[in-house]
Amino acid sequence: MFLLVCLAVSASCSTIPISSQVRMATLDPATLDFSAIEVAVRINEDYKLRDGDVTLGLSLRDGLTNEEFVETFLLKVEDMPNSPFLKKDQKRETQIYGMSFDEADRARLLNFRDKFSELLARGKETKASGKNSFSLNVNTKGCLRKSGNPFEKMKVKVYLKPKPTAKFMTFIKERNINLVDQSNGNIPFCSEN
């Protein structure tokens, strides 16, 4: 039906655990409620996430026309979701943030869903839906706390809950992110702790 491609934290699917790759492969983008996707991010305490530091990207490519529909959403910081999996995975000197969509993005989410449904219907008519592709990516940046160690890279692990009835899964294994490289050679310091 659709080829599901997963990218995250500027890395390839190779950073997604095999168990999560299997779960992601069973997702049907045609029935996925994009607005219900939940993201959580674990980082070391030297760093902090602010609203907009985590983005969720959705991309859909029409296999017949090569037309691509891309949306990127700046996520808002929330408290850690109530999840036994996340509680078990929290380590000393780390913090897990829940992430949510801004209510103002609801129209864009619905528009993306409608384009997706339109493409799916056209694919059924032309028997070309196997050439379509869908990708979901999560990218993270942050800032260094005033009390943080500037020589310590930001350690990031991303979790995904694709629908309300599902459980969180590890979407991206822990990765070291060099914020200096992402910020044109400057360490982004938090304006407040």
Side-chain angles (χ1 to χ4, degrees):
M1 181 188 273
F2 270 84
L3 172 64
L4 178 64
V5 181
C6 315
L7 308 170
V9 193
S10 303
S12 68
C13 285
S14 64
T15 61
I16 299 174
I18 291 174
S19 60
S20 295
Q21 288 179 24
V22 171
R23 286 179 64 188
M24 292 297 293
T26 62
L27 289 178
D28 181 2
T31 61
L32 187 62
D33 178 0
F34 300 108
S35 65
I37 294 171
E38 290 185 50
V39 175
V41 178
R42 185 183 78 193
I43 63 171
N44 43 326
E45 288 183 337
D46 284 334
Y47 292 90
K48 178 180 177 182
L49 295 179
R50 303 159 296 188
D51 289 349
D53 279 347
V54 177
T55 62
L56 177 91
L58 301 172
S59 176
L60 178 62
R61 188 179 57 77
D62 183 329
L64 287 177
T65 66
N66 280 331
E67 186 177 5
E68 193 164 17
F69 307 101
V70 178
E71 286 287 358
T72 301
F73 301 94
L74 302 176
L75 301 180
K76 296 185 334 184
V77 173
E78 302 284 340
D79 291 333
M80 182 174 98
N82 185 13
S83 160
F85 176 75
L86 294 179
K87 286 179 184 172
K88 182 180 172 191
D89 210 41
Q90 186 161 14
K91 296 180 178 179
R92 281 186 49 201
E93 300 180 4
T94 67
Q95 182 171 358
I96 297 179
Y97 294 84
M99 308 306 298
S100 66
F101 290 101
D102 190 314
E103 192 57 37
D105 288 332
R106 185 126 181 94
R108 288 193 308 134
L109 281 161
L110 295 173
N111 185 48
F112 187 87
R113 183 201 59 197
D114 292 346
K115 286 186 186 224
F116 194 95
S117 298
E118 177 186 311
L119 182 60
L120 184 65
R122 190 172 54 214
K124 284 181 181 176
E125 291 172 10
T126 62
K127 308 231 186 282
S129 63
K131 297 178 182 179
N132 300 326
S133 66
F134 166 73
S135 68
L136 178 140
N137 67 68
V138 175
N139 289 294
T140 305
K141 59 183 180 179
C143 61
L144 181 68
R145 294 180 186 271
K146 291 177 184 173
S147 61
N149 179 353
F151 301 104
E152 180 78 22
K153 289 185 179 175
M154 188 168 86
K155 294 176 178 70
V156 176
K157 186 171 184 178
V158 179
Y159 308 91
L160 185 74
K161 183 177 174 183
K163 54 188 174 183
T165 57
K167 295 179 181 176
F168 273 98
M169 64 179 150
T170 298
F171 185 55
I172 300 297
K173 297 183 220 177
E174 187 173 273
R175 309 273 300 165
N176 289 327
I177 305 296
N178 188 340
L179 291 181
V180 172
D181 291 345
Q182 287 186 355
S183 305
N184 298 323
N186 298 315
I187 296 175
F189 287 98
C190 301
S191 58
E192 57 187 54
N193 270 340

Coordinates of all heavy atoms in Angstrom, one line a residue, residues 73 90-91 93 96 103 108 117 122 149 155 157 163:
F73 N 5.9 20.5 12.1 CA 5.2 21.1 13.2 C 6.1 21.3 14.4 O 6.9 20.4 14.8 CB 4.0 20.2 13.7 CG 3.1 19.9 12.6 CD1 3.2 18.8 11.8 CD2 2.0 20.8 12.4 CE1 2.3 18.5 10.7 CE2 1.1 20.5 11.3 CZ 1.2 19.4 10.5
Q90 N 13.4 6.1 32.3 CA 14.1 7.3 32.8 C 15.3 7.0 33.6 O 15.3 6.1 34.4 CB 13.1 8.2 33.6 CG 13.8 9.5 34.0 CD 12.8 10.6 34.4 OE1 11.6 10.3 34.6 NE2 13.2 11.8 34.4
K91 N 16.4 7.6 33.3 CA 17.7 7.4 34.0 C 18.0 8.5 34.9 O 17.4 9.6 34.8 CB 18.8 7.2 33.0 CG 18.7 6.0 32.1 CD 19.8 5.9 31.2 CE 19.8 4.7 30.3 NZ 20.9 4.7 29.3
E93 N 19.9 11.7 36.2 CA 20.4 12.9 35.5 C 19.8 13.0 34.1 O 20.5 13.6 33.2 CB 21.9 12.8 35.5 CG 22.5 12.8 36.9 CD 24.0 12.8 36.9 OE1 24.7 12.9 35.8 OE2 24.6 12.8 38.0
I96 N 12.6 13.5 31.0 CA 11.7 13.2 29.8 C 10.6 14.2 29.7 O 9.9 14.5 30.6 CB 11.1 11.8 30.0 CG1 12.2 10.7 30.0 CG2 10.1 11.5 28.8 CD1 11.7 9.3 30.2
E103 N -2.5 24.0 19.2 CA -3.9 24.0 18.7 C -4.0 24.7 17.3 O -4.8 24.4 16.5 CB -4.8 24.6 19.7 CG -6.3 24.4 19.4 CD -6.7 22.9 19.3 OE1 -6.1 22.0 20.0 OE2 -7.5 22.6 18.4
R108 N -3.6 22.6 9.7 CA -2.6 22.0 8.8 C -2.6 20.5 9.0 O -2.4 19.8 8.0 CB -1.2 22.6 9.1 CG -1.1 24.0 8.7 CD 0.4 24.5 8.7 NE 1.0 24.3 10.0 CZ 2.3 23.8 10.1 NH1 3.0 23.4 9.1 NH2 2.8 23.7 11.3
S117 N -5.7 11.2 2.3 CA -6.9 10.5 1.9 C -7.1 10.6 0.4 O -7.5 9.6 -0.3 CB -8.1 11.0 2.6 OG -7.9 10.8 4.0
R122 N -7.0 8.1 -5.0 CA -6.5 8.1 -6.4 C -5.6 6.9 -6.7 O -5.7 6.3 -7.7 CB -5.7 9.4 -6.6 CG -5.3 9.6 -8.1 CD -4.7 10.9 -8.3 NE -3.6 11.2 -7.5 CZ -3.2 12.3 -7.0 NH1 -3.9 13.4 -7.3 NH2 -2.2 12.5 -6.2
N149 N 27.2 21.5 31.7 CA 28.6 21.3 31.2 C 28.7 21.5 29.7 O 28.1 20.7 28.9 CB 29.1 19.9 31.6 CG 30.5 19.5 31.1 OD1 31.1 20.3 30.4 ND2 31.0 18.4 31.5
K155 N 22.5 14.3 25.0 CA 22.1 12.9 24.7 C 20.5 12.9 24.5 O 19.8 13.3 25.4 CB 22.5 12.0 25.8 CG 24.0 11.9 26.0 CD 24.3 11.0 27.2 CE 25.8 10.8 27.4 NZ 26.5 12.0 27.8
K157 N 17.0 10.8 23.3 CA 16.3 9.6 22.9 C 14.8 10.0 22.7 O 14.3 10.7 23.4 CB 16.3 8.5 24.1 CG 15.7 7.2 23.7 CD 16.0 6.2 24.8 CE 15.5 4.8 24.5 NZ 15.8 3.8 25.5
K163 N -0.8 6.2 18.3 CA -2.3 6.3 18.5 C -2.6 6.2 20.0 O -1.8 5.6 20.7 CB -3.1 5.4 17.6 CG -2.7 3.9 17.8 CD -3.4 3.1 16.7 CE -2.9 1.6 16.8 NZ -3.5 0.8 15.8

